[in-house]
Amino acid sequence: MADTKREIERKYEATAATRLPDLTRVPGVDAVVPRGVTELDAVYYDTAGLRLAADSLTLRRRTGGADEGWHLKFPVASGIRDEIHEPLSDTVPHALAALLRSRVRDAPLAPVVRLLSSRDVYHLTAADGALLAEASVDTVLAERLAGDPSAATAAWTEIEVELADGGDPAFLDAVERRLDEAGVRPARSASKLARALADTAPEGGRKGSGRKGGRKDSTGKRGKEEAAATAGDHVMAYVRDQIHTVVALDPAVRRDLPDSVHAMRVATRRLRSAFKTYRRILDRSVTDPVGEELKWLAAELGVDRDQEVLDQRLGSRTDALPATLVLGPVRGRLQAWSAARRTGSRARTVALLDQDRYLALLDALDALSVDPPLRPAARRAPGRALPRAVLKDYDRLARRVEHALARPQGPERDAAMHEARKAAKRARYAADAARPALGPPAKRFAKRMKAVQSLLGDHQDSVVAREALRTLAVQSHAAGESAFTWGLLYGREEAAAEARERELPQVWDRARAPELRADLKG
């Protein structure tokens, strides 16, 4: 993977006559050291429809300065971005193009804006000479490279303050207070590119240029100012949020960021659940085929995630045992078993995201977002249509829980509880989708469904863990090792599952309280 850096910076308005105020008055700053002027030439790339800018991503090829090369920046939070660097080349590096594939698909990336910056750099240092931050006064000339030939150039000056690697973000607050005292105000644009796109847009297209506003972006999301009025509006707002999440998590999965695979899998499941729950609002002839592809994607992503959850469970259970009860090479065998099951899984996951089938699914989700398959019921008031759909899922869960409680202990009950778990998850997701319309009642409902889901999920994790422990015991025995510890862990998992089964009636009683249904209906 290319070099990655966490960039924490702030930008401020300035004029050609602006000079940095005395920043030695900032607590902790001992000296402000001039580092000279650097000339930077950056060309920014995007699709013709500015798909990257719509999601606040920037891709540039820059010459000049110590870090010349290709830079791809992903927003993390306000003023914080992850910058991924690749060496200079004539074309977009493959590693960076892959990270953008979920957004651009088959749309070509081309130069859209060129920025020529004259950067007057200063280092803010502590008494021991340690770098605290880099401040610069940037004189910028922007030129539009694509689109309407009448688009104007633009020029401005800004101050940029970037925190040193490993620095405390609170230091930037102190710098900002000093700048504010000197009359320097925060910049109106979050990035140079955003300002360049706004200021160089053709006449008539500058208002809101580079911002999402209330228009649809490349995933069909709409700005928050467009209030959802009907049941269909609410459902589609939720659907678009999940679609956007899938697309946005693609590069995180490729970068192997923590919990990214799990989060993408959850978004696919939420989409499938919404299609099923709100089938009176969304046309099944459109959503069912998409749902099947989402099921495929979730299953593929689940290979890694399920093994990760199992590893964590077995590892923690083993670590909790007294040393006297760990007989034989237990930890070594557990590690070898896990490694064998996960061999090549990382490469397999990345390859999945490059498959034509996956990219076709993203296109189908885009199409559904832009042209929603709404049925007549979508025009109804959300207070009527949404509770009905949520309570239908609730009734489905109730039948499955009662069925599980009536089964004899053993594999038959295990299977029934697993089916009830899936129903609890669907009921919870249904309420989550309805929360913007139904408010606190939907939130309370979702909370109780989550409690049922969590209990049933822990039970299912125990079922899976016992299957794995039996396999490990057989392997140990065949290798002439003691199987005692595996049997002990199996027994503890069995006891944990029985405890969850005993708790289920009480948890379910709280979830099915009569006032819950009336509360949701309003």
Side-chain angles (χ1 to χ4, degrees):
M1 177 55 67
D3 295 335
T4 302
K5 174 187 176 183
R6 177 61 56 86
E7 177 186 83
I8 304 176
E9 66 180 18
R10 298 183 188 179
K11 297 180 183 296
Y12 301 89
E13 299 286 352
T15 68
T18 299
R19 296 291 181 269
L20 280 179
D22 181 8
L23 295 180
T24 59
R25 293 174 56 185
V26 175
V29 176
D30 179 70
V32 178
V33 183
R35 303 296 293 179
V37 176
T38 301
E39 302 298 332
L40 305 174
D41 186 346
V43 176
Y44 288 77
Y45 286 67
D46 207 331
T47 65
L50 300 179
R51 295 183 186 180
L52 302 186
D55 280 345
S56 301
L57 273 68
T58 61
L59 173 66
R60 74 184 178 204
R61 182 185 186 275
R62 189 169 77 181
T63 57
D67 65 341
E68 67 177 10
W70 287 89
H71 305 127
L72 173 59
K73 298 186 181 185
F74 288 96
V76 176
S78 178
I80 303 175
R81 295 186 290 181
D82 278 348
E83 178 180 286
I84 303 173
H85 180 269
E86 284 280 350
L88 276 177
S89 61
D90 292 335
T91 58
V92 179
H94 175 76
L96 301 187
L99 294 174
L100 297 172
R101 190 159 293 131
S102 67
R103 273 141 170 132
V104 305
R105 310 302 154 69
D106 57 355
L109 289 166
V112 292
V113 167
R114 183 183 187 190
L115 297 182
L116 299 176
S117 302
S118 184
R119 171 165 290 180
D120 191 4
V121 180
Y122 299 83
H123 280 183
L124 280 55
T125 60
D128 62 358
L131 179 64
L132 300 172
E134 179 178 284
S136 64
V137 180
D138 296 349
T139 303
V140 185
L141 174 64
E143 177 189 6
R144 195 73 164 235
L145 300 177
D148 192 321
S150 67
T153 59
W156 69 89
T157 302
E158 68 181 31
I159 292 174
E160 182 175 294
V161 183
E162 181 174 350
L163 190 67
D165 293 346
D168 183 355
F171 176 72
L172 294 184
D173 294 333
V175 173
E176 184 160 306
R177 285 192 291 271
R178 174 67 189 111
L179 292 173
D180 184 68
E181 291 172 359
V184 178
R185 302 292 180 254
R188 60 186 174 89
S189 295
S191 69
K192 288 182 175 66
L193 175 62
R195 179 162 183 172
L197 289 173
D199 290 355
T200 67
E203 290 297 333
R206 295 187 185 181
K207 184 178 181 180
S209 179
R211 300 184 177 92
K212 290 183 184 179
R215 66 173 179 85
K216 291 182 182 178
D217 65 15
S218 61
T219 62
K221 290 185 71 177
R222 289 185 179 272
K224 293 182 179 180
E225 74 277 6
E226 292 192 14
T230 66
D233 290 336
H234 280 281
V235 172
M236 283 308 303
Y238 179 81
V239 165
R240 289 186 179 111
D241 281 346
Q242 304 314 313
I243 293 173
H244 185 266
T245 298
V246 171
V247 172
L249 283 170
D250 177 294
V253 171
R254 293 175 188 271
R255 294 167 61 197
D256 201 21
L257 297 186
D259 208 40
S260 56
V261 171
H262 173 60
M264 180 185 271
R265 192 184 185 197
V266 168
T268 64
R269 286 176 164 174
R270 285 182 176 273
L271 277 168
R272 289 186 63 226
S273 290
F275 293 162
K276 292 179 180 179
T277 297
Y278 298 106
R279 60 184 58 185
R280 291 177 61 86
I281 292 172
L282 300 176
D283 187 348
R284 290 187 59 185
S285 67
V286 176
T287 60
D288 279 0
V290 178
E292 285 301 309
E293 291 303 282
L294 288 168
K295 181 179 181 180
W296 160 77
L297 177 58
E300 292 291 325
L301 293 171
V303 174
D304 267 2
R305 175 61 182 175
D306 291 345
Q307 186 62 40
E308 180 184 354
V309 171
L310 183 56
D311 288 348
Q312 291 173 349
R313 188 178 184 99
L314 296 183
S316 64
R317 294 286 200 267
T318 302
D319 291 342
L321 291 175
T324 54
L325 298 181
V326 181
L327 305 185
V330 171
R331 291 182 177 84
R333 177 162 292 282
L334 184 58
Q335 291 172 358
W337 172 79
S338 175
R341 289 168 61 92
R342 301 184 73 166
T343 299
S345 60
R346 166 77 184 143
R348 185 180 62 247
T349 299
V350 173
L352 165 71
L353 302 183
D354 289 328
Q355 287 186 24
D356 290 341
R357 182 176 181 180
Y358 166 72
L359 297 174
L361 169 58
L362 296 186
D363 286 340
L365 291 172
D366 270 359
L368 186 148
S369 177
V370 172
D371 186 18
L374 299 177
R375 300 184 65 197
R379 295 192 291 268
R380 294 177 181 170
R384 292 182 54 198
L386 301 189
R388 178 177 180 179
V390 173
L391 290 173
K392 187 174 181 179
D393 278 352
Y394 172 80
D395 292 338
R396 177 171 170 269
L397 168 62
R399 292 192 296 271
R400 292 195 179 185
V401 170
E402 297 298 338
H403 176 73
L405 291 173
R407 297 304 94 195
Q409 192 175 50
E412 190 177 353
R413 176 179 286 184
D414 292 343
M417 291 184 71
H418 182 43
E419 291 302 311
R421 175 197 177 216
K422 291 188 284 187
K425 185 181 298 185
R426 180 165 152 183
R428 173 193 166 195
Y429 290 165
D432 285 341
R435 277 180 63 178
L438 305 184
K443 182 179 180 179
R444 289 189 289 269
F445 182 93
K447 183 178 180 180
R448 296 197 189 186
M449 296 304 103
K450 184 178 180 180
V452 177
Q453 176 194 336
S454 297
L455 182 146
L456 294 170
D458 191 60
H459 181 275
Q460 177 61 17
D461 288 346
S462 178
V463 171
V464 174
R466 277 179 279 157
E467 293 174 356
L469 288 166
R470 184 181 182 281
T471 298
L472 287 162
V474 170
Q475 292 177 355
S476 296
H477 179 74
E481 302 164 4
S482 171
F484 170 81
T485 302
W486 305 119
L488 176 62
L489 291 171
Y490 187 100
R492 293 192 173 189
E493 286 290 358
E494 201 169 42
E498 291 173 357
R500 300 292 86 75
E501 291 174 22
R502 290 193 298 271
E503 293 169 14
L504 179 58
Q506 290 75 34
V507 173
W508 178 238
D509 279 345
R510 290 193 293 272
R512 66 175 182 176
E515 70 273 11
L516 194 63
R517 182 181 292 270
D519 190 29
L520 198 62
K521 286 184 175 181

